[in-house]
Amino acid sequence: MWESGIYDTTKKGDIMDDILKQLGLDKETLSGASNGASFDTDGKIIESRSPTDGALLGKVRCAGEKDFAKVMDTAQGIFEKWRMYPAPKRGEVIRLIGLELRKHKAALGKLVSLEMGKILAEGEGEVQEMIDMADFAVGLSRQLYGLTMQSERPKHRMYEQWHPLGVVGVISAFNFPVAVWGWNAFIAAICGDVVVWKPSSTTPLTAIAIHNIVDKVCSDNSWSGIFNLVIGSGSTVGKWLVEDERGKLISATGSCGMGHKIAEAAAKRLCPTILELGGNNAIIAMEDADMELLVRGILFGAVGTAGQRCTSTRRILCHKTIMPMLIDRLKSAYSQVRIGDPVVEGTLMGPLVTPDAVDQMMAALVKIKDQGGQIVYGGNKLTDGDFSKGNFVEPTIVLVDRPITMMQDEVFAPILYIVPISSVDDAIAIHNNVPQGLSSAIFTQNMRYAERFLSAMGSDCGIANVNIGTSGAEIGGAFGGQKETGGGREAGSDAWKAYMRRQTCTINFGDEFPLAQGIRFG
Ligand code: UN1
């Protein structure tokens, strides 16, 4: 619950009030567990603090165990009706949600920026990503196609159809507090599923705002309860959600460590999962790369969102002939990055999400230096003046002669390694030699290099780009990756199939009883 009078006396309080007003929300009506759930007194209170200056943005009461059970019961009840509502009509509800989100794009973008720390343009971009997803889902609601097969038996017809799964649990991360929920929730909803969302406890206010906007549209259309929200930690609410038999699919975004735990718990009850976990994304820069595009691709990929995307560029595998030039260009570009309050126009890089994230980056840099990494740009916390209360760091470039052990890990911070390579084969071997497999890119004008990179002997990632960076994917494609990234696919293409169950149907319209494989029986 956003309790009244809890805001700091700083300007953050005014911004929050303004956002609340624009979103048409009042502080008292918001809670950490919603749809039919009243508070269980054991729901813990958590705080949401601005990563920019530590100001208190709001307090939220988490869902207690009884709240959670109520939400799951309600969700299950709604599912039994929603699954029989025609898919194109389900799409109509999502269309109305898309319209409502458009109205609130600026305010929601600002709330994301305020609570998570990404710059305003990226905060709004994320809301746009959710709107795009709504549009995509509306179209898809008329295209949940199944195939018709030719039966080997006379007067038999065979086809497959897709039915909803049931209650779908969505566990989202702090770094995309809005868009990733949209990828899952809107697809699940047009598929006829009902969604229970556990957002990151670091960004509860954003989740509450989205939930209220979306649920209002649903209740205006007599469908309240398609989207549900349960706030709390991974070890309580997250665990309940993954283990609850009523959940028929768990879609989770987060670290590889978190993914392992979820996969094990879900596997115990044979519940399918969609896992979108860590990345360790590289750009291969060949000797003929268009420098202008390359530098822009690296800058957006490595510095954007302060290196806190799962698609962030972490490694540059650079042809040795262009390495000195690239380093010079990058240093100059990095020195022009304006670091500061993400809500202020013109800022290019905001803070890291928590003080812990800063500590983790600094600890990683110590190990990187121990392993022979040479910091050629950045490497420090920013602590002076305006930076003193926030989680600010310098974007950092590290040179290594050859890959070091630390390069196997995903550090969720703006650390970029540059490694020399001498051929495309050399680059691809280094590229694939990490546990994760999310996103990848090559910058080249040589079609042989590009096609080699895209071939089955090339990048082993779920996303492979040419002359585009590793981050900033469009929603139309299926999003996700291989190896420790978890193998799940979300958003576009035919990712919807994971949110439905496939049924193969065979109909005999003759008066004989032929068996498949020509078997004669009795
Ligand atoms: C994430 O960081 O979890 O491709 C998602 C991108 C965004 C999504 C990132 N569209 O960078």
Side-chain angles (χ1 to χ4, degrees):
M1 150 182 350
W2 286 354
E3 293 164 348
S4 50
I6 49 157
Y7 302 141
D8 253 12
T9 48
T10 64
K11 64 181 164 65
K12 286 281 174 334
D14 301 338
I15 300 178
M16 282 299 291
D17 281 342
D18 186 41
I19 292 175
L20 284 180
K21 214 158 94 198
Q22 287 181 50
L23 295 174
L25 301 175
D26 71 78
K27 296 173 202 170
E28 281 77 23
T29 56
L30 305 171
S31 65
S34 60
N35 290 330
S38 60
F39 285 124
D40 173 12
T41 41
D42 67 357
K44 229 178 79 187
I45 301 238
I46 53 170
E47 290 179 349
S48 173
R49 289 192 173 268
S50 157
T52 308
D53 58 9
L56 184 65
L57 300 176
K59 289 185 187 177
V60 173
R61 188 185 295 279
C62 297
E65 207 161 356
K66 285 186 210 149
D67 303 322
F68 175 79
K70 256 189 212 170
V71 170
M72 289 303 275
D73 278 345
T74 317
Q76 182 61 35
I78 302 280
F79 168 68
E80 275 150 34
K81 300 188 198 110
W82 183 240
R83 67 183 168 180
M84 291 309 293
Y85 196 51
K89 294 204 164 145
R90 302 196 286 249
E92 173 60 10
V93 177
I94 304 302
R95 189 182 72 80
L96 298 172
I97 289 174
L99 293 179
E100 199 60 22
L101 290 172
R102 279 174 170 84
K103 283 191 215 153
H104 296 298
K105 180 175 165 181
L108 282 172
K110 201 166 187 177
L111 182 57
V112 169
S113 180
L114 206 60
E115 191 176 38
M116 180 276 162
K118 63 175 68 174
I119 60 169
L120 214 47
E122 290 189 63
E124 285 188 14
E126 209 194 322
V127 179
Q128 185 59 47
E129 195 164 338
M130 182 169 46
I131 294 168
D132 293 344
M133 248 351 269
D135 290 357
F136 182 86
V138 175
L140 193 60
S141 69
R142 290 182 182 269
Q143 300 176 71
L144 303 173
Y145 301 138
L147 296 172
T148 299
M149 293 86 184
Q150 295 295 324
S151 171
E152 65 188 56
R153 287 171 278 186
K155 296 194 175 158
H156 277 55
R157 186 166 74 80
M158 240 171 115
Y159 75 105
E160 62 186 18
Q161 59 180 351
W162 296 84
H163 287 315
L165 279 178
V167 175
V168 170
V170 176
I171 298 176
S172 63
F174 79 89
N175 65 332
F176 271 81
V178 168
V180 173
W181 174 77
W183 294 353
N184 285 283
F186 296 153
I187 298 292
I190 58 102
C191 287
D193 300 323
V194 164
V195 177
V196 176
W197 180 20
K198 190 207 98 60
S200 162
S201 325
T202 321
T203 50
L205 303 184
T206 305
I208 290 171
I210 294 288
H211 178 74
N212 277 271
I213 291 169
V214 166
D215 191 55
K216 167 91 173 53
V217 177
C218 290
S219 64
D220 286 352
N221 289 275
S222 312
W223 280 113
S224 181
I226 301 161
F227 300 108
N228 304 279
L229 178 67
V230 283
I231 292 174
S233 68
S235 58
T236 56
V237 175
K239 188 168 179 291
W240 303 332
L241 187 56
V242 176
E243 290 176 356
D244 196 296
E245 287 289 341
R246 285 165 291 196
K248 297 295 182 252
L249 170 71
I250 300 293
S251 178
T253 304
S255 67
C256 293
M258 181 204 85
H260 276 284
K261 281 191 207 152
I262 290 179
E264 276 171 36
K268 231 179 210 165
R269 61 180 186 93
L270 298 180
C271 175
T273 53
I274 297 175
L275 297 176
E276 198 247 290
L277 311 174
N280 194 346
N281 318 297
I283 290 179
I284 297 177
M286 294 308 294
E287 70 277 9
D288 63 341
D290 179 323
M291 265 293 157
E292 211 52 52
L293 300 191
L294 177 61
V295 171
R296 292 179 67 173
I298 296 174
L299 196 68
F300 182 62
V303 175
T305 331
Q308 299 173 106
R309 290 188 187 215
C310 57
T311 51
S312 288
T313 308
R314 314 242 173 249
R315 302 176 293 146
I316 305 297
L317 314 179
C318 180
H319 199 275
K320 54 190 181 201
T321 53
I322 59 163
M323 201 148 141
M325 183 177 28
L326 180 63
I327 293 168
D328 281 351
R329 294 282 296 266
L330 283 178
K331 279 188 188 167
S332 145
Y334 269 50
S335 67
Q336 289 165 48
V337 169
R338 197 183 299 169
I339 304 169
D341 189 336
V343 177
V344 170
E345 209 71 50
T347 302
L348 217 56
M349 188 177 123
L352 295 187
V353 66
T354 54
D356 267 3
V358 176
D359 293 346
Q360 277 163 25
M361 175 175 171
M362 294 304 133
L365 287 173
V366 171
K367 287 194 197 154
I368 288 167
K369 281 189 270 184
D370 282 353
Q371 292 175 10
Q374 186 196 344
I375 296 177
V376 293
Y377 190 92
N380 300 302
K381 270 193 230 189
L382 294 170
T383 49
D384 292 346
D386 282 352
F387 295 128
S388 63
K389 289 190 194 146
N391 314 320
F392 291 95
V393 294
E394 290 173 329
T396 300
I397 303 176
V398 177
L399 281 192
V400 290
D401 298 338
R402 70 189 93 82
I404 56 174
T405 317
M406 274 303 283
M407 289 174 66
Q408 297 287 307
D409 295 338
E410 178 192 48
V411 178
F412 229 53
I415 301 176
L416 181 70
Y417 299 97
I418 306 190
V419 194
I421 50 108
S422 48
S423 69
V424 74
D425 288 342
D426 185 20
I428 290 171
I430 297 174
H431 177 275
N432 290 348
N433 190 23
V434 292
Q436 312 83 350
L438 179 55
S439 185
S440 60
I442 190 168
F443 279 73
T444 182
Q445 299 181 58
N446 181 329
M447 64 85 83
R448 288 188 178 166
Y449 291 158
E451 293 291 338
R452 167 85 177 74
F453 175 75
L454 297 172
S455 77
M457 339 150 55
S459 162
D460 62 3
C461 290
I463 297 169
N465 298 332
V466 177
N467 296 330
I468 293 188
T470 57
S471 65
E474 300 176 22
I475 58 104
F479 185 95
Q482 299 310 123
K483 304 195 287 185
E484 286 207 356
T485 302
R489 293 296 185 276
E490 294 160 299
S493 184
D494 63 353
W496 62 270
K497 288 180 176 168
Y499 300 80
M500 302 197 84
R501 61 184 169 89
R502 185 195 307 244
Q503 189 167 63
T504 302
C505 309
T506 310
I507 300 150
N508 177 3
F509 60 93
D511 51 11
E512 311 237 323
F513 196 71
L515 293 172
Q517 296 88 43
I519 292 174
R520 288 178 179 280
F521 194 80

